[in-house]
Amino acid sequence: MLDRSTIIGFISGFTLILSAIVLQGDLMVFASMSAFLIVVGGVLAATLVNYSYENIKYSFLTISRMMGAKSVDLRTDMELMRMFAKKVRTEGILTIDDEIKDLNNDFLQNGLQLAVDGYNRKSLGNILDDEIQSHERQLSISVKVLDSMSEYSPAFGMIGTLIGMILMLQNINDPESLGAGLAVALITTLYGTILSNMVLGPLAGKLEYLSKLDLNRKEMFRVGILSMVEEENPRIMENKMLIYLEPKQRAEYKKYHEKLPYGTNREEKLFQEWTKYQNKEWETLNENLEVETG
Amino acid sequence: MLDRSTIIGFISGFTLILSAIVLQGDLMVFASMSAFLIVVGGVLAATLVNYSYENIKYSFLTISRMMGAKSVDLRTDMELMRMFAKKVRTEGILTIDDEIKDLNNDFLQNGLQLAVDGYNRKSLGNILDDEIQSHERQLSISVKVLDSMSEYSPAFGMIGTLIGMILMLQNINDPESLGAGLAVALITTLYGTILSNMVLGPLAGKLEYLSKLDLNRKEMFRVGILSMVEEENPRIMENKMLIYLEPKQRAEYKKYHEKLPYGTNREEKLFQEWTKYQNKEWETLNENLEVETG
Amino acid sequence: MLDRSTIIGFISGFTLILSAIVLQGDLMVFASMSAFLIVVGGVLAATLVNYSYENIKYSFLTISRMMGAKSVDLRTDMELMRMFAKKVRTEGILTIDDEIKDLNNDFLQNGLQLAVDGYNRKSLGNILDDEIQSHERQLSISVKVLDSMSEYSPAFGMIGTLIGMILMLQNINDPESLGAGLAVALITTLYGTILSNMVLGPLAGKLEYLSKLDLNRKEMFRVGILSMVEEENPRIMENKMLIYLEPKQRAEYKKYHEKLPYGTNREEKLFQEWTKYQNKEWETLNENLEVETG
Amino acid sequence: MLDRSTIIGFISGFTLILSAIVLQGDLMVFASMSAFLIVVGGVLAATLVNYSYENIKYSFLTISRMMGAKSVDLRTDMELMRMFAKKVRTEGILTIDDEIKDLNNDFLQNGLQLAVDGYNRKSLGNILDDEIQSHERQLSISVKVLDSMSEYSPAFGMIGTLIGMILMLQNINDPESLGAGLAVALITTLYGTILSNMVLGPLAGKLEYLSKLDLNRKEMFRVGILSMVEEENPRIMENKMLIYLEPKQRAEYKKYHEKLPYGTNREEKLFQEWTKYQNKEWETLNENLEVETG
Amino acid sequence: MLDRSTIIGFISGFTLILSAIVLQGDLMVFASMSAFLIVVGGVLAATLVNYSYENIKYSFLTISRMMGAKSVDLRTDMELMRMFAKKVRTEGILTIDDEIKDLNNDFLQNGLQLAVDGYNRKSLGNILDDEIQSHERQLSISVKVLDSMSEYSPAFGMIGTLIGMILMLQNINDPESLGAGLAVALITTLYGTILSNMVLGPLAGKLEYLSKLDLNRKEMFRVGILSMVEEENPRIMENKMLIYLEPKQRAEYKKYHEKLPYGTNREEKLFQEWTKYQNKEWETLNENLEVETG
């Protein structure tokens, strides 16, 4: 499933454009298979020359995968990491061996597994770093692919319009048809502009934005995993990880934990049911655990 | 309340454009709900795809909050910090515990509170650094959101014009109406250009400019707080902080303090009434304290 | 031979453009030797002024050489390097002296030869580094040449159109011919736009993309060669080199080797037949070696 | 007074544009108060939103101050610094206390004063560094303000033209007036283009260029002052400062001093009359001192 | 004399444009002194405001000097440096004192002279570094000047066209003359586009390209001179300098010297006649020395 703002954006954007047309005239005037083919096909052809089929496919897979990802709440991630860190501190790292397989973030799962396997801080740090960097390289290529496509779009719109205009001007016997011919010629420019500004440009921007969030989350996990391996105080780990949260979320998280009454059964409860809460909103997790506390 | 130059800019800009229209023709020709919808709606839709609803809302909240902030005079901040530093030097850091709650800059309040709570220089330095950096990240996203919106504007103006032109050229039976049709079609381009160059572009620029001022001020506070924690001579703190002032303001501040007669009751007076002066212009503060000196 | 996606891109792109023309009118209208000369000739002339004949020739040689290169599978490179490293570890570096001449990657061949010749890690590291850097400089100039050509294209299209329009407007006695004259004038703009967006721009992008892949591969070889010279454990070499693979390929490679049953004759077989597999897909190598294993 | 090349540029540029008009038609056709108001007013309004009134005023003050500065010859600066350094080396830094007040470069005056006041090398180095950096920040904002204005200009030219065209197309009853209407509409575009390319763009470029020269000169003074404080050999100071001169000027300066006969009364003469020569061309200084030498 | 590719580029480019005109119509239609004046004059005026007369003159002097430089073959430079280094190693640095004055590269001559004068490695290294950096600064300003001119060109073309169109539309009594008027108006746009894309843009690019080659050569000399001062083995110097050659030239040079039979009189011969070969192609040098060897 796409992320909500993207869907709302696409629906409202195209509704606006379509209703602007319908209110003033006939929608069918704007439906042109040849305009569609020259713009979309031309963009794909130029991108094939520029990159490769695999790159294009991978870009769209990445963006659909990223936008379809279950909503991510870094505060929930914080709770789980804190819980694991406390377990590791008191009962040793092998305690979480069974839990790891239930994690549904590959990076975190892989990192914790390596920690359990006994890698030392330095080599584990290098491995996680390389992982993040090679992920970053991949994502930046995908963003570039979408950016190039967005830049080729208006050019192919213009190519279609130029072809249409040249043909129309050539057969100018009937001046009456001149207007209609120009109208048809302009449709490819319209398609190219819409494809670039309503679809490909915003999608490239979204992928870049989501990439940053994802890399930020991976960095947060990396800091947390390394802190566990060094058996640092969970409180220190928490402070190191909190930097990666937005100021507002960080404040909420800190305030909540400061006000938490001492000696609740929150932690134990969370450890038994944590799989239910991963990728859920932090509020959901709190509500459920709260009830028991009360 | 918006900052003054923004208001004056908006009022004078739109007055100019509107009077240019009124002097030459009928204003109603230019009022077009559909043009407004396609430009503003299209920009919002593309931005929703590119970012998320939260980002857009946050950008506008940030800029309105920043522009509505009470005027900031770094020289007044200097006076208060100097006063606190002297107290801390002579009577210990706990003296200012009561004062902190009256500060109305969150960053300064939070930083001094941590100093009172006994954090050492190094960890306090890290915390304040992280705070500034995560604030910077947030602000740069907000600037990018406004920049993207400013870039999408002319494109949607063009999309509206293309739709209008295609429809007009299609129904060209009545050549008389051709002019009026083209006029209507061009209105979306006009809206897109105005939205981009009179509203969104300048607002993005303003946010970037105010962000820099705000981060500069935070850096200044950070340097001051750390200097207090290390119990450095207030004079040294003053010199370190002065770097963040504009050359002209710095010169005025230094000149004023050099000429100040020895042994006035200025400091004590300020300590009793400082809450009245925070966020006020430095001149106001000086005038009031001067009277007593004289 | 060009790489597949480039061929498919060119064929599909030009097919699209040509069929868009044929379906609507006469292809011959668009065939204009003078338009071709002014755009292609003008771009070449401006590029000659900007760079030199050698640069232009070298850019096209580079891109045709790079795109014609046999497909490169970094996993196959990994297998060969691993095999060499094991030989070197057990039997000394002179063992591979005979093998080196069969390698068909110049950089790897040269690097291993220097290793056999007894260069120490530090000077060998410097030599390979310089090699990579000077290669990088050369490639970035080639990319710039193609980029400049792509930027000059639309300008010469516009120059041709301006010349055509001025001549047409000058001899405006026969308003009937005005359309045809404009049509002819627009053809150079069409050529310039197609040359820029369908040929030179994408080729510049492709060269940049392939350069990165090539430099990445060279970096991988460099790390491997230096690891051999230091007689590190082949496993460590493998881990260092794996960073340069894409995440997906890395995972496949690691998984495959983890599941490999102990004590197969795979290694020996590979050592005898490795020349057959270099530059082949990894899957091909595996299939063939698998049979023997089974 | 503005610097000469700017005046010549403005006069020749506007003369060219005006004579191009006068030779072909009536200048009054192009005089349009409303076009002037919408372009200049619009640019100012957008810049007010983007920055603040103070920034705009400061930018124009800076550029007029910088362009009005007496011509600067770094070789003359070299002569004075060399003279001071020799005095300081032989008679101690207090010797120049009286001279400092006659210097008319604020940065140099302030720096030497601090040196006389006894600041050590390290803190003086920091102070001068901060001074240069905060000056650099200020100047880069001023350049940005002018750059933004130059970018808003064509947009407001286009806004004016769009308004004119829409009004004209609306009242198309009289096709005769269509041409005149379009002519009037295009005048704002002309104004916007001229404002951007003949005034604001070049001024922004000039300010950036002069800023670099000014910062270069300040860096040269900084190096010289610090060298004096450390009581280095004036020859060493000279060599350190010479780096900041253009190659040609540096060569001339070095050649001149190498050929200077030993034991002239040049130095003493210069020390008595140096205030006459500061900000004068180096050639002037040489000519006058030469006479006495001969 | 200009470098060959520039001449060929200019001749072929303008031949193309002129023949495109002649084949279709009358060349005289395109000859317009006023269009030439407004474009070239306007660009010069704006550049005068932006920079200064000296900068513009210096830019064109630099590019004509650089393009007129005798062809440079780094391999010939290598041979000479190698020869000097061997002399210095065996007979001391004073041996080359007489030779230096015959060198026709200022940087090399100056550097070697300082080496003979007895500067130590560190101060000589600093001097040569400063020399290269200040040269780099100068060249980057010259490139910027040409770049700005190239950017102002189309703008002044547009200004001329706007003036022409406004005048034409104003006096629209005779619709017949409308075409001719528009034709004349468009000529300035044509001039501006050609000036930017066929002359100034490519020249700016050429200067940037030649600057890089020149700085690369200076860096090579610097490395060689410092190696001589340290009396390193000429072979080591050779290897350090070879990095600055293109891969292909480097390979040729290395191959040639490896195959050279031992004990030829090549070196002595070169030392007696080296002035004949400097700035000549390496092949020429080889042919002549070869004969004697055989």
Side-chain angles (χ1 to χ4, degrees), chain C residues 149-168:
Chain C
M149 294 181 86
S150 161
E151 276 163 32
Y152 288 130
S153 293
F156 282 94
M158 194 185 157
I159 287 173
T161 298
L162 282 169
I163 292 175
M165 281 175 72
I166 292 169
L167 284 170
M168 174 199 79

Side-chain angles (χ1 to χ4, degrees), chain C:
Chain C
M1 200 194 77
L2 294 168
D3 77 335
R4 258 178 55 200
S5 79
T6 308
I7 298 178
I8 297 175
F10 277 144
I11 292 179
S12 58
F14 281 104
T15 307
L16 261 167
I17 294 172
L18 293 180
S19 47
I21 293 173
V22 172
L23 287 177
Q24 296 173 58
D26 184 4
L27 190 61
M28 291 316 295
V29 171
F30 290 86
S32 160
M33 193 36 124
S34 70
F36 183 81
L37 278 178
I38 209 160
V39 171
V40 175
V43 167
L44 282 173
T47 315
L48 271 176
V49 177
N50 198 331
Y51 295 94
S52 71
Y53 173 66
E54 280 72 29
N55 287 117
I56 302 179
K57 197 181 72 178
Y58 187 78
S59 297
F60 282 98
L61 275 179
T62 309
I63 196 162
S64 67
R65 187 169 50 73
M66 281 204 142
M67 294 198 305
K70 300 204 187 77
S71 81
V72 164
D73 192 326
L74 294 186
R75 292 167 300 181
T76 307
D77 293 331
M78 288 288 308
E79 297 279 359
L80 301 189
M81 291 296 284
R82 190 168 165 269
M83 176 194 76
F84 284 132
K86 287 198 169 168
K87 276 279 164 196
V88 167
R89 195 92 198 286
T90 51
E91 305 174 33
I93 196 143
L94 296 179
T95 337
I96 60 168
D97 199 5
D98 289 339
E99 312 289 328
I100 293 171
K101 66 177 179 301
D102 293 325
L103 283 165
N104 53 23
N105 179 284
D106 286 351
F107 180 82
L108 180 58
Q109 190 179 41
N110 183 33
L112 285 178
Q113 190 62 59
L114 291 171
V116 169
D117 291 355
Y119 276 72
N120 63 25
R121 207 212 93 92
K122 206 186 148 203
S123 42
L124 185 52
N126 287 340
I127 291 171
L128 297 180
D129 245 4
D130 295 334
E131 198 88 3
I132 290 175
Q133 273 174 39
S134 97
H135 199 75
E136 202 168 2
R137 274 204 303 270
Q138 290 290 313
L139 285 173
S140 86
I141 291 179
S142 297
V143 171
K144 268 191 190 169
V145 170
L146 286 169
D147 264 335
S148 301
M149 294 181 86
S150 161
E151 276 163 32
Y152 288 130
S153 293
F156 282 94
M158 194 185 157
I159 287 173
T161 298
L162 282 169
I163 292 175
M165 281 175 72
I166 292 169
L167 284 170
M168 174 199 79
L169 291 165
Q170 204 70 28
N171 312 322
I172 211 164
N173 307 331
D174 177 20
E176 295 287 298
S177 72
L178 201 141
L182 189 56
V184 170
L186 284 176
I187 287 174
T188 46
T189 293
L190 179 65
Y191 278 31
T193 314
I194 291 175
L195 189 63
S196 175
N197 290 287
M198 190 66 232
V199 183
L200 294 169
L203 280 184
K206 181 71 137 212
L207 185 54
E208 199 180 350
Y209 175 67
L210 291 178
S211 302
K212 271 187 196 153
L213 291 189
D214 189 58
L215 290 169
N216 182 54
R217 194 182 176 206
K218 282 197 168 66
E219 292 279 1
M220 186 187 81
F221 283 144
R222 182 179 156 275
V223 161
I225 294 167
L226 294 180
S227 183
M228 273 191 218
V229 168
E230 285 200 321
E231 299 193 17
E232 287 181 351
N233 188 324
R235 227 195 145 87
I236 292 179
M237 182 194 82
E238 225 175 340
N239 280 329
K240 283 184 177 172
M241 289 174 72
L242 275 170
I243 298 167
Y244 296 94
L245 269 64
E246 287 177 36
K248 206 183 136 202
Q249 293 200 335
R250 198 191 320 166
E252 282 173 12
Y253 179 90
K254 280 165 89 169
K255 204 170 165 188
Y256 183 85
H257 278 273
E258 274 164 15
K259 291 202 304 190
L260 216 59
Y262 187 74
T264 66
N265 62 343
R266 192 173 183 273
E267 303 269 318
E268 280 160 46
K269 177 119 191 28
L270 180 60
F271 189 69
Q272 278 151 34
E273 302 182 6
W274 69 266
T275 46
K276 286 204 308 193
Y277 301 119
Q278 70 175 323
N279 298 96
K280 287 276 190 321
E281 297 284 319
W282 184 57
E283 281 81 4
T284 317
L285 179 149
N286 275 342
E287 269 169 44
N288 283 282
L289 295 177
E290 215 70 49
V291 178
E292 313 289 322
T293 326

Side-chain angles (χ1 to χ4, degrees), chain A residues 5 9-10 12-13 16 20-21 24 29-30 179-180 183 189-190 197-198 201-202 205-206 209 212 243 246-247 250, chain B residues 37-38 41-42 45-46 48-52 55 130-131 134 137-138 144 152 155-156 159 162-163 166-167 169-170 172:
Chain A
S5 79
F10 277 143
S12 58
L16 262 168
I21 294 172
Q24 297 172 57
V29 170
F30 290 86
T189 293
L190 179 64
N197 290 286
M198 191 64 232
K206 183 69 137 212
Y209 176 67
K212 271 186 196 153
I243 299 167
E246 286 178 37
R250 197 190 321 166
Chain B
L37 277 179
I38 208 161
L48 271 177
V49 176
N50 198 334
Y51 296 95
S52 71
N55 288 116
D130 294 334
E131 198 88 4
S134 96
R137 272 203 303 270
Q138 290 291 312
K144 266 192 193 168
Y152 288 130
F156 281 94
I159 287 172
L162 281 170
I163 292 174
I166 291 169
L167 284 169
L169 290 166
Q170 204 69 30
I172 211 163

Side-chain angles (χ1 to χ4, degrees), chain D residues 206-229:
Chain D
K206 183 71 137 212
L207 185 54
E208 199 180 351
Y209 176 67
L210 291 178
S211 302
K212 272 190 196 150
L213 291 188
D214 189 58
L215 291 168
N216 181 55
R217 195 183 175 207
K218 283 196 169 67
E219 292 277 1
M220 186 187 79
F221 283 144
R222 183 180 156 274
V223 161
I225 295 166
L226 294 180
S227 183
M228 273 191 218
V229 169

Side-chain angles (χ1 to χ4, degrees), chain E residues 53 58 70 100 153 173 285:
Chain E
Y53 173 65
Y58 186 79
K70 299 205 188 75
I100 292 171
S153 293
N173 308 330
L285 179 149

Side-chain angles (χ1 to χ4, degrees), chain B residues 71 73-84 253 256-257 260 265-267 269-293:
Chain B
S71 81
D73 193 326
L74 294 186
R75 292 166 302 182
T76 307
D77 293 330
M78 288 289 308
E79 298 278 0
L80 301 189
M81 290 297 284
R82 190 169 165 267
M83 178 195 76
F84 284 133
Y253 179 90
Y256 183 86
H257 278 272
L260 216 58
N265 62 343
R266 191 173 184 272
E267 305 268 319
K269 177 121 190 34
L270 180 60
F271 190 68
Q272 278 151 35
E273 302 182 6
W274 69 265
T275 46
K276 285 204 309 192
Y277 302 118
Q278 70 176 320
N279 298 97
K280 287 276 189 321
E281 297 284 318
W282 183 57
E283 282 80 3
T284 318
L285 178 149
N286 276 342
E287 271 169 42
N288 282 281
L289 295 176
E290 217 68 50
V291 178
E292 313 286 324
T293 328

